[in-house]
mmCIF file of all heavy atoms in Angstrom:
data_model
loop_
_atom_site.group_PDB
_atom_site.id
_atom_site.type_symbol
_atom_site.label_atom_id
_atom_site.label_comp_id
_atom_site.label_asym_id
_atom_site.label_seq_id
_atom_site.Cartn_x
_atom_site.Cartn_y
_atom_site.Cartn_z
ATOM 1 N N VAL A 184 111.923 0.176 -22.101
ATOM 2 C CA VAL A 184 111.532 -1.104 -21.516
ATOM 3 C C VAL A 184 112.064 -1.174 -20.086
ATOM 4 O O VAL A 184 113.255 -0.941 -19.853
ATOM 5 C CB VAL A 184 112.082 -2.292 -22.327
ATOM 6 C CG1 VAL A 184 111.753 -3.615 -21.626
ATOM 7 C CG2 VAL A 184 111.527 -2.274 -23.739
ATOM 8 N N VAL A 185 111.163 -1.434 -19.164
ATOM 9 C CA VAL A 185 111.559 -1.678 -17.778
ATOM 10 C C VAL A 185 111.301 -3.148 -17.506
ATOM 11 O O VAL A 185 110.167 -3.627 -17.634
ATOM 12 C CB VAL A 185 110.752 -0.814 -16.789
ATOM 13 C CG1 VAL A 185 111.271 -1.015 -15.364
ATOM 14 C CG2 VAL A 185 110.805 0.651 -17.177
ATOM 15 N N ALA A 186 112.351 -3.889 -17.161
ATOM 16 C CA ALA A 186 112.220 -5.328 -16.917
ATOM 17 C C ALA A 186 113.097 -5.682 -15.728
ATOM 18 O O ALA A 186 114.323 -5.544 -15.795
ATOM 19 C CB ALA A 186 112.632 -6.124 -18.151
ATOM 20 N N SER A 187 112.469 -6.123 -14.645
ATOM 21 C CA SER A 187 113.245 -6.441 -13.458
ATOM 22 C C SER A 187 112.462 -7.401 -12.573
ATOM 23 O O SER A 187 111.757 -8.273 -13.107
ATOM 24 C CB SER A 187 113.628 -5.162 -12.710
ATOM 25 O OG SER A 187 114.673 -5.426 -11.786
ATOM 26 N N PHE A 188 112.537 -7.243 -11.244
ATOM 27 C CA PHE A 188 111.888 -8.198 -10.353
ATOM 28 C C PHE A 188 111.474 -7.529 -9.047
ATOM 29 O O PHE A 188 111.910 -6.419 -8.706
ATOM 30 C CB PHE A 188 112.816 -9.393 -10.078
ATOM 31 C CG PHE A 188 114.148 -9.006 -9.528
ATOM 32 C CD1 PHE A 188 114.362 -8.853 -8.162
ATOM 33 C CD2 PHE A 188 115.232 -8.779 -10.377
ATOM 34 C CE1 PHE A 188 115.595 -8.491 -7.654
ATOM 35 C CE2 PHE A 188 116.475 -8.418 -9.886
ATOM 36 C CZ PHE A 188 116.656 -8.264 -8.513
ATOM 37 N N TYR A 189 110.652 -8.259 -8.311
ATOM 38 C CA TYR A 189 110.142 -7.793 -7.023
ATOM 39 C C TYR A 189 110.343 -8.904 -6.004
ATOM 40 O O TYR A 189 110.022 -10.073 -6.267
ATOM 41 C CB TYR A 189 108.649 -7.447 -7.160
ATOM 42 C CG TYR A 189 107.863 -7.506 -5.864
ATOM 43 C CD1 TYR A 189 108.014 -6.538 -4.877
ATOM 44 C CD2 TYR A 189 106.977 -8.555 -5.637
ATOM 45 C CE1 TYR A 189 107.302 -6.612 -3.689
ATOM 46 C CE2 TYR A 189 106.243 -8.626 -4.460
ATOM 47 C CZ TYR A 189 106.417 -7.657 -3.495
ATOM 48 O OH TYR A 189 105.717 -7.731 -2.322
ATOM 49 N N LEU A 190 110.878 -8.549 -4.837
ATOM 50 C CA LEU A 190 111.063 -9.496 -3.753
ATOM 51 C C LEU A 190 109.952 -9.289 -2.726
ATOM 52 O O LEU A 190 109.812 -8.180 -2.186
ATOM 53 C CB LEU A 190 112.428 -9.293 -3.082
ATOM 54 C CG LEU A 190 113.669 -9.375 -3.980
ATOM 55 C CD1 LEU A 190 114.934 -9.128 -3.166
ATOM 56 C CD2 LEU A 190 113.741 -10.722 -4.684
ATOM 57 N N GLY A 191 109.195 -10.331 -2.461
ATOM 58 C CA GLY A 191 108.109 -10.207 -1.500
ATOM 59 C C GLY A 191 106.945 -11.111 -1.865
ATOM 60 O O GLY A 191 106.996 -11.881 -2.839
ATOM 61 N N PRO A 192 105.864 -11.046 -1.064
ATOM 62 C CA PRO A 192 104.678 -11.874 -1.345
ATOM 63 C C PRO A 192 104.072 -11.526 -2.697
ATOM 64 O O PRO A 192 104.224 -10.401 -3.195
ATOM 65 C CB PRO A 192 103.720 -11.528 -0.195
ATOM 66 C CG PRO A 192 104.177 -10.192 0.302
ATOM 67 C CD PRO A 192 105.654 -10.165 0.112
ATOM 68 N N THR A 193 103.397 -12.478 -3.276
ATOM 69 C CA THR A 193 102.842 -12.305 -4.619
ATOM 70 C C THR A 193 101.945 -11.070 -4.688
ATOM 71 O O THR A 193 100.988 -10.952 -3.916
ATOM 72 C CB THR A 193 102.029 -13.535 -5.030
ATOM 73 O OG1 THR A 193 102.877 -14.690 -4.940
ATOM 74 C CG2 THR A 193 101.500 -13.393 -6.446
ATOM 75 N N PRO A 194 102.225 -10.131 -5.590
ATOM 76 C CA PRO A 194 101.422 -8.904 -5.691
ATOM 77 C C PRO A 194 100.240 -9.087 -6.635
ATOM 78 O O PRO A 194 100.165 -10.060 -7.389
ATOM 79 C CB PRO A 194 102.411 -7.894 -6.258
ATOM 80 C CG PRO A 194 103.276 -8.728 -7.154
ATOM 81 C CD PRO A 194 103.392 -10.071 -6.487
ATOM 82 N N SER A 195 99.325 -8.133 -6.588
ATOM 83 C CA SER A 195 98.211 -8.115 -7.537
ATOM 84 C C SER A 195 98.473 -7.175 -8.702
ATOM 85 O O SER A 195 97.992 -7.394 -9.810
ATOM 86 C CB SER A 195 96.918 -7.685 -6.827
ATOM 87 O OG SER A 195 96.500 -8.660 -5.905
ATOM 88 N N ARG A 196 99.233 -6.133 -8.436
ATOM 89 C CA ARG A 196 99.558 -5.161 -9.488
ATOM 90 C C ARG A 196 100.994 -4.675 -9.322
ATOM 91 O O ARG A 196 101.448 -4.448 -8.205
ATOM 92 C CB ARG A 196 98.645 -3.932 -9.432
ATOM 93 C CG ARG A 196 97.183 -4.192 -9.689
ATOM 94 C CD ARG A 196 96.399 -2.895 -9.519
ATOM 95 N NE ARG A 196 94.960 -3.060 -9.703
ATOM 96 C CZ ARG A 196 94.123 -3.421 -8.730
ATOM 97 N NH1 ARG A 196 94.597 -3.636 -7.511
ATOM 98 N NH2 ARG A 196 92.840 -3.556 -8.972
#
Side-chain angles (χ1 to χ4, degrees):
V184 175
V185 185
S187 196
F188 56 88
Y189 156 73
L190 304 179
T193 303
S195 292
R196 296 177 182 86

